[in-house]
Amino acid sequence: MKIEDLLRHLEGAFPLSLQDSFDHSGLQVGDVRRELTGILLGVDVTEDLLREAVQRGANLVVTHHPLLFHPLKGITPRTYVERCTAFAVKHDLVLYAVHTNLDNAPRGLNRYWAEKAGLLPGTLRAIRPISGYHYKLQVFVPTAYAGKVREALRQAGAGRQGDYEGCSFSADGVGRFAALPGANPFVGQVGEWHEEAEEMVSVLLPKHLLSSALGAVRRVHPYEEPAFEVIPVLHDDPATGAGIIGELREAVPLETFLKGLKSWQTTSPIALSPVLHDEVKRIAYCGGAGAFLLEDAARLGADLFITGEAKYNDFHDARDLTTLAVMGHFETEWFATEVLAEVLSEKKGNFAVHKALELMNPVRYYI
């Protein structure tokens, strides 16, 4: 299997179009046309991680955090970023990052945490949903071919809404056109007006599937020049976006909930703002640096908002909003390797997926 084939599968679950505007997710170093020998998963690109990849025979390194966030002016031994880049090039490694697209995706980091923490699936939604991520695609096709077009769209992933697939709407009408000299019309004659009974097939699809859906339609549509309408849909997608909020089955003491997290989640000392609710039921979460969602979480009625980083004044602001719990950036994202491994294991092929033997937290605590 080529590395690019594996990455295409990964991007199906975590589309690059879901990354934030400041981000640099995706391919960072290497030639994806090489044959895949193995995958090593980590949180950060470090020299130890790259040496482990070579030792394990893995030529694809997938991490949550990108190595290259700023342009390099040189590749020297001066910084760990430059050393890692040089090492990857020397050993033919491909470095690939799945950062905020992993955070924002419906199957991403935050949803994984929510399910592990016991939040009810039916109550989950993004704290700040992404707007304008969907399009309505309308295709006009001769009635006899409408079924083929609908099936092509379904196979391309269009018309998927929640737990339903192949969702579409159709309306009958009449198409009119005149073929110009040089055309090879499927129906009608060159230089003559033609009317044809047609069906308008309408589906909803996310932005990252638009190109493949159009290609799928063109492969089965009988006309030389199929007619399309692509219309932005400005509704929020509750499953896609920053952070997550949901509810426990019943309210529990705050201390009980936080102690429960320690049974499966690596935690540093937890920093708390003044406690507003002794019991919690509606919980909000954003892995990493998520304090920008504090007001959004409070507006949605969160009894507790958990994230990895916050500023001093955020703890003051929380007094009038909700209880803020800060657990450490690494501590709220180390399980990215679990999420990635789950998706990669769905791809059939002769390759091994390894999680780094030691996930290194660059922050040390003196006690």
Side-chain angles (χ1 to χ4, degrees):
M1 179 187 299
K2 301 289 186 183
I3 293 175
E4 60 187 349
D5 296 328
L6 190 283
L7 294 180
R8 196 173 296 116
H9 169 75
L10 191 62
E11 290 173 7
F14 311 117
L16 292 177
S17 55
L18 282 179
Q19 68 180 305
D20 293 338
S21 59
F22 65 83
D23 202 7
H24 295 280
S25 295
L27 177 65
Q28 297 233 302
V29 176
D31 183 358
V32 298
R33 296 169 297 181
R34 295 181 183 276
E35 291 291 328
L36 177 65
T37 62
I39 308 165
L40 181 64
L41 305 176
V43 176
D44 300 288
V45 177
T46 65
E47 292 168 275
D48 286 340
L49 185 78
L50 297 184
R51 282 191 285 266
E52 182 180 339
V54 173
Q55 291 167 2
R56 286 173 171 256
N59 62 348
L60 172 60
V61 177
V62 180
T63 58
H64 182 43
H65 294 140
L67 174 69
L68 303 176
F69 237 108
H70 306 287
L72 293 180
K73 295 183 179 180
I75 301 179
T76 72
R78 186 174 59 89
T79 68
Y80 91 92
V81 173
E82 294 178 22
R83 292 193 298 272
C84 286
T85 303
F87 186 96
V89 172
K90 179 179 179 179
H91 293 276
D92 293 330
L93 299 178
V94 170
L95 306 185
Y96 188 92
V98 192
H99 191 209
T100 53
N101 52 324
L102 181 63
D103 297 332
N104 294 333
R107 295 183 60 186
L109 190 71
N110 293 314
R111 186 176 183 98
Y112 179 90
W113 180 91
E115 292 177 350
K116 292 282 286 186
L119 304 188
L120 300 175
T123 68
L124 298 178
R125 56 157 291 167
I127 298 175
R128 187 179 291 179
I130 291 178
S131 296
Y133 188 67
H134 285 83
Y135 290 102
K136 181 166 72 171
L137 172 60
Q138 295 185 162
V139 185
F140 301 87
V141 58
T143 304
Y145 285 80
K148 291 184 177 180
V149 167
R150 281 193 293 268
E151 177 59 17
L153 287 167
R154 185 193 68 80
Q155 292 188 17
R160 181 71 183 264
Q161 295 180 231
D163 294 328
Y164 297 85
E165 68 170 4
C167 302
S168 69
F169 177 81
S170 295
D172 295 330
V174 177
R176 300 173 181 84
F177 54 86
L180 299 174
N184 183 26
F186 176 72
V187 291
Q189 301 296 323
V190 172
E192 297 180 1
W193 280 101
H194 179 78
E195 292 188 354
E196 182 75 18
E198 293 184 352
E199 188 171 314
M200 181 192 72
V201 178
S202 179
V203 296
L204 192 69
L205 75 167
K207 182 189 300 183
H208 70 277
L209 291 181
L210 179 59
S211 178
S212 59
L214 291 174
V217 169
R218 288 191 175 98
R219 285 192 290 272
V220 300
H221 201 292
Y223 287 176
E224 278 190 299
E225 301 290 345
F228 302 101
E229 287 183 350
V230 179
I231 305 168
V233 178
L234 300 179
H235 75 80
D236 292 342
D237 180 1
T240 305
I244 199 162
I245 187 168
E247 294 187 0
L248 300 170
R249 190 171 302 279
E250 58 185 19
V252 299
L254 172 62
E255 185 176 356
T256 300
F257 180 76
L258 293 178
K259 283 184 176 179
L261 294 182
K262 290 178 176 287
S263 67
W264 65 272
Q265 183 173 4
T266 300
T267 62
S268 63
I270 300 174
L272 278 178
S273 68
V275 175
L276 296 186
H277 305 284
D278 293 328
E279 289 194 335
V280 295
K281 183 177 182 181
R282 179 169 291 184
I283 313 294
Y285 181 88
C286 182
F292 68 98
L293 293 173
L294 177 61
E295 292 188 12
D296 299 74
R299 178 175 49 79
L300 293 172
D303 302 317
L304 173 66
F305 175 51
I306 301 173
T307 190
E309 289 185 27
K311 296 181 294 186
Y312 176 80
N313 282 343
D314 293 326
F315 289 88
H316 273 306
D317 295 341
R319 294 172 181 269
D320 300 316
L321 299 171
T322 185
T323 303
L324 171 65
V326 177
M327 300 175 63
H329 194 121
F330 177 86
E331 288 79 0
T332 56
E333 292 188 330
W334 65 266
F335 46 87
T337 57
E338 303 289 338
V339 182
L340 293 168
E342 183 178 285
V343 169
L344 290 171
S345 66
E346 298 168 357
K347 180 69 173 175
K348 305 299 183 184
N350 186 24
F351 59 87
V353 179
H354 307 283
K355 287 177 279 190
L357 293 176
E358 187 174 2
L359 297 174
M360 296 296 294
N361 186 352
V363 180
R364 297 292 185 267
Y365 298 93
Y366 180 77
I367 301 176

